[in-house]
Amino acid sequence: VYAYFNSSTAALSGGSPAVNIPSSAVYAVFGTTSAYFTGTSPFSSGNSAVTLLSNLSLSGNSTGAGTLTLYIDCTNQTQLPAATYTGVVFIQAQAI
């Protein structure tokens, strides 16, 4: 199961004038998994993904639930103005 943004350079955008927050500044926590959106996935181009789950063994009608928490790392975003920033994170699974 992968989470990803369509753009590695503009995962979140907002402010006036417009400011972009790259996916590398967004940190994901899902269960015991935590990582920046800098990886790859079969669904995204560039380095804008996080692998949430891998090597699952499912049978029949299986379901699951979890909480995905996202943080913005402002360490390299020192001039980030106060504003509303929006973006879309996609969550997609691949069955092999």
Side-chain angles (χ1 to χ4, degrees):
V1 177
Y2 301 90
Y4 64 94
F5 292 100
N6 272 342
S7 172
S8 62
T9 58
L12 303 169
S13 298
S16 180
V19 175
N20 293 326
I21 299 173
S23 65
S24 61
V26 182
Y27 190 73
V29 177
F30 182 78
T32 60
T33 300
S34 59
Y36 287 93
F37 280 81
T38 56
T40 59
S41 82
F43 312 106
S44 63
S45 60
N47 297 327
S48 62
V50 169
T51 301
L52 300 177
L53 297 169
S54 62
N55 299 322
L56 294 175
S57 178
L58 302 175
S59 61
N61 294 324
S62 298
T63 62
T67 300
L68 176 62
T69 305
L70 303 179
Y71 298 94
I72 299 172
D73 182 350
C74 295
T75 303
N76 295 319
Q77 304 285 320
T78 57
Q79 300 300 315
L80 194 63
T84 299
Y85 294 88
T86 60
V88 176
V89 61
F90 296 90
I91 300 174
Q92 200 163 353
Q94 180 182 33
I96 299 176

